[in-house]
Amino acid sequence: MMNDYQTWIDEIHNNSRYGIKGKILVKKKSNFQEIIILKTKNYGNALMLDGCWMTSDKDEKYYHELLVHPALSSKKNIEKILIIGGGDGGTARECLKYKGIKKIDLIEIDSDVIDLSKKYLKQIGGKVWSDARLNIHIMDGLKWVKKTSSNYYDAILIDCSDPSEFASGLFSLEFYKECSRIIKSKGIFATQSESPESFKKTHLKILNKLKKIFKHTSTAYSFVPFYPSGIWSWTFASNNNKKFLNSNYKDIKTIEESCEIWNQNFQSGALKMMPSKIMREISSNKL
Ligand code: SPD
């Protein structure tokens, strides 16, 4: 009998291939990028944008929980959140676990990513798409932050793709400056900050730029099975004088119980995992 799950799809990065075998559900060119959704036996449905793996049903929690919880659990109360990217809904889903949230603005450049995620990655977005607190804006993230008033958001979460023609603005000094301006003085900023192994140069640039703009930064390292080299990073930043990144949210136990990967111990380990070579190169301060 014909086996449908026979197509290998690889992310090819630096002469290495990171691939999985499955059945192609979607392969299309949107206005911005090529979108592939692959149905796999071990990872559920997986999303690839312009040749790079973004997420899959079975490994997304390694990524989304590490982006959201170190940031949000550090605050007693968070009302207004900005998510840039995040068109699969996973980041918004994790945010909506916090009780005080009044509004999330999700800025995604490609409406096809949202439409296809609603249809094929249902378990990632869960119920977020019908939550009245979620406001979706289809536009470029850099344009959005430029037009936002100062001192507006309690948290800003950058859930973007790797730098590319249209995503590179989200890794610029100009973008980080705008984020620092529109975040409240005690607000917290978080971004996926690429891999210290397979995207080392980009990783170092992100960390050095954030250090220039924000008073405090900390980077967590963990793994995302689908991403090139497996090891990944998330960087948190604030302009608040107090040390952030300890859990202060009142109902933290409920958040821990709802997570598959994140807990307070996991977080404190992840924040101490900076590889020595990265520590050394950061101090040399290349932008
Ligand atoms: N190399 C992949 C980097 C992708 C980061 N964003 C993923 C989107 C998941 N919400």
Side-chain angles (χ1 to χ4, degrees), residues 30-47:
S30 73
N31 290 335
F32 296 93
Q33 53 205 336
E34 183 190 62
I35 304 178
I36 294 180
I37 298 186
L38 187 72
K39 183 174 179 162
T40 76
K41 287 195 172 160
N42 298 334
Y43 284 95
N45 289 355
L47 170 70

Side-chain angles (χ1 to χ4, degrees), residues 89-103:
T91 294
R93 179 201 68 216
E94 291 303 311
C95 291
L96 286 169
K97 290 177 174 174
Y98 290 79
K99 287 197 184 112
I101 304 236
K102 294 200 169 136
K103 155 181 164 149

Side-chain angles (χ1 to χ4, degrees), residues 46-145:
L47 170 70
M48 174 179 260
L49 298 179
D50 266 351
C52 301
W53 290 117
M54 289 295 124
T55 198
S56 78
D57 285 338
K58 294 278 170 59
D59 82 339
E60 54 98 5
K61 292 194 169 141
Y62 285 100
Y63 174 90
H64 292 120
E65 291 183 6
L66 259 288
L67 175 66
V68 173
H69 299 302
L72 268 53
S73 72
S74 72
K75 306 268 296 162
K76 281 207 172 69
N77 196 27
I78 293 205
E79 295 184 348
K80 284 187 272 183
I81 297 182
L82 172 64
I83 299 173
I84 307 263
D88 54 55
T91 294
R93 179 201 68 216
E94 291 303 311
C95 291
L96 286 169
K97 290 177 174 174
Y98 290 79
K99 287 197 184 112
I101 304 236
K102 294 200 169 136
K103 155 181 164 149
I104 298 179
D105 287 324
L106 187 150
I107 320 302
E108 168 61 60
I109 200 165
D110 192 343
S111 59
D112 280 354
V113 171
I114 295 187
D115 294 343
L116 292 168
S117 297
K118 283 182 182 170
K119 188 163 178 199
Y120 295 101
L121 303 170
K122 286 198 170 102
Q123 73 183 65
I124 298 185
K127 295 186 182 142
V128 296
W129 306 119
S130 57
D131 194 300
R133 292 166 294 175
L134 183 72
N135 304 284
I136 297 170
H137 307 270
I138 302 300
M139 76 182 277
D140 174 65
L142 182 56
K143 286 196 182 133
W144 179 270
V145 294

Side-chain angles (χ1 to χ4, degrees), residues 194-198 200 203-204 207 219-222 229 231-234 269-283:
E194 303 286 323
S195 167
E197 183 56 34
S198 51
K200 187 171 144 219
H203 175 65
L204 285 167
L207 271 53
T219 301
Y221 295 87
S222 180
S229 80
I231 183 166
W232 212 254
S233 76
W234 299 261
L271 288 166
K272 294 183 190 116
M273 289 272 290
M274 183 176 274
S276 299
K277 65 179 181 183
I278 299 294
M279 264 182 218
R280 287 183 206 115
E281 292 196 44
I282 276 196
S283 42

